[in-house]
């Protein structure tokens, strides 16, 4: 399984299909080229389910960004046309 961030803030990213290509990684997040991502439709339901199953709660949506929280931690999942960014907010 592939996790992002520390044990306390990990987010399940194994549900990204084999078509997802990691393009950039830093201490703040990961960026992917992913044909399944869409700015209009957001992330696929299967990936949203995986995030929720890992204990993250879906919050507000602002355009292509959807915020998720888990305890004191918050991430921003940004879905654009064939691009996905997962960024640690706090």
């Amino acid at each position: 399984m592939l996790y992002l961030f520390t044990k306390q803030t990990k987010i399940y990213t194994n549900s990204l299909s084999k078509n997802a290509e990691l393009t950039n990684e830093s201490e703040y997040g990961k960026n992917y080229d992913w044909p399944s991502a869409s700015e209009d439709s957001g992330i696929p339901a299967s990936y949203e389910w995986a995030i929720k199953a890992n204990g993250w709660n879906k919050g507000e949506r602002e355009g292509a960004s959807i915020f998720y929280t888990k305890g004191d931690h918050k991430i921003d999942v940004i879905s654009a046309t064939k691009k996905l960014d997962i960024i640690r907010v706090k």
Side-chain angles (χ1 to χ4, degrees):
M1 288 186 188
L2 174 65
Y3 291 99
L4 179 61
F5 309 131
T6 66
K7 185 176 181 181
Q8 292 78 23
T9 62
K10 66 186 176 184
I11 179 169
Y12 189 70
T13 58
N14 199 37
S15 288
L16 293 174
S17 73
K18 293 179 182 178
N19 295 332
E21 179 184 338
L22 181 65
T23 58
N24 190 35
E25 181 176 6
S26 75
E27 63 183 285
Y28 304 106
K30 292 187 177 185
N31 308 101
Y32 295 90
D33 284 341
W34 190 27
S36 298
S38 165
E39 188 167 346
D40 295 329
S41 302
I43 59 175
S46 60
Y47 185 58
E48 189 167 345
W49 179 86
I51 293 172
K52 184 176 180 178
N54 196 47
W56 290 89
N57 297 307
K58 186 176 180 178
E60 64 212 55
R61 180 177 181 155
E62 295 178 11
S65 294
I66 301 176
F67 294 93
Y68 291 88
T69 57
K70 183 176 183 180
D72 292 336
H73 305 286
K74 187 174 187 178
I75 58 169
D76 187 3
V77 177
I78 304 167
S79 182
T81 304
K82 300 183 181 182
K83 303 273 185 194
L84 182 73
D85 300 325
I86 304 171
I87 302 167
R88 181 179 55 189
V89 176
K90 70 173 191 173

